Amino acid sequence: MDVIEGGFARASAGDFEALKLMAKQGLRAELCSMARANLADIDAVAECGAESVHLVVPTSDIHLQHKLRMGRPEVLDLAVKCVEHAKSRGLVVELSAEDASRADVEFLREFARRGAEAGADRICLCDTVGVLTPERAEWLVSRVAEVVRAPISIHCHDDFGMAVANSIAALRAGATQVHVTVNGIGERAGNAALEEVAMSLICLY
């Protein structure tokens, strides 16, 4: 495991303290905290001692309209502002396109390009509601890879039982990092399972 997302620093005092304790363990893996697209969240990540921030920014029109109540240009500017702030705090930045699987692909490409130009170290495509298919995952990653040189990661949910297959398809298309959880435990139907992804890659690929 190259990166461990240990929690969400600003979500609660408990998460903040847990991340502080993890940061003192001398782990070989990079310790990461999730953050939303606001500066206070990013500051909390820097203050807890994590090395990197998983900066999650909505990208689908349904999320922009109903979650952020912002337009596309505003979201692009917000993403750039947050990436630049995180870099100024000395953090490695993984910029995640939330609900990327339902986003307009040209907007997604612009989001990734602008984020990478602002200094994001990795770009993550999130299948937030678990609606990707392997074919679509491969196509989406390949389209984003055309406009960024930063490493691409994939974050899949298992609502249709395809999180592992989608993750492997993303790797085939050029992604170099997969978000996984132990036994696939996660929101709703869960996420791509660490052990299934690892053993599929070792034994089948």
Side-chain angles (χ1 to χ4, degrees):
M1 301 302 296
D2 299 299
V3 182
I4 297 173
E5 186 173 315
F8 183 173
R10 195 159 176 251
S12 68
D15 266 31
F16 187 86
E17 290 303 317
L19 282 157
K20 281 182 68 176
L21 289 171
M22 290 178 215
K24 295 176 182 176
Q25 298 304 307
L27 301 173
R28 286 183 294 176
E30 174 188 302
L31 180 63
C32 179
S33 169
M34 180 184 167
R36 297 165 298 186
N38 70 64
L39 304 189
D41 274 23
I42 295 165
D43 288 338
V45 176
E47 289 157 13
C48 78
E51 299 165 78
S52 67
V53 59
H54 179 204
L55 179 61
V56 181
V57 184
T59 53
S60 68
D61 286 335
I62 192 168
H63 275 211
L64 268 57
Q65 180 181 350
H66 297 288
K67 187 173 184 179
L68 289 184
R69 295 182 174 86
M70 298 172 72
R72 291 182 183 182
E74 295 171 282
V75 170
L76 291 175
D77 291 344
L78 176 64
V80 167
K81 178 181 178 181
C82 288
V83 169
E84 290 176 345
H85 183 70
K87 296 303 293 184
S88 77
R89 295 300 309 262
L91 294 166
V92 173
V93 178
E94 179 153 347
L95 177 62
S96 267
E98 185 178 13
D99 207 19
S101 48
R102 296 192 296 176
D104 174 79
V105 70
E106 291 306 322
F107 176 68
L108 189 63
R109 281 156 54 95
E110 182 68 4
F111 174 89
R113 187 187 65 78
R114 290 275 301 274
E117 287 177 354
D121 300 279
R122 300 186 288 265
I123 302 295
C124 179
L125 306 180
C126 296
D127 184 23
T128 304
V129 294
V131 294
L132 276 181
T133 60
E135 297 83 4
R136 178 77 177 179
E138 196 165 342
W139 179 80
L140 201 61
V141 169
S142 66
R143 294 288 284 143
V144 173
E146 290 172 351
V147 297
V148 295
R149 292 185 179 178
I152 296 173
S153 56
I154 190 76
H155 177 106
C156 292
H157 285 263
D158 206 32
D159 297 71
F160 285 89
M162 290 195 281
V164 171
N166 289 334
S167 297
I168 291 169
L171 289 173
R172 287 171 53 82
T176 55
Q177 178 176 280
V178 178
H179 288 201
V180 294
T181 65
V182 174
N183 292 328
I185 294 169
E187 186 178 32
R188 300 184 319 276
N191 295 79
L194 160 63
E195 62 285 349
E196 292 179 6
V197 170
M199 295 310 295
S200 293
L201 294 176
I202 291 167
C203 297
L204 303 179
Y205 288 87

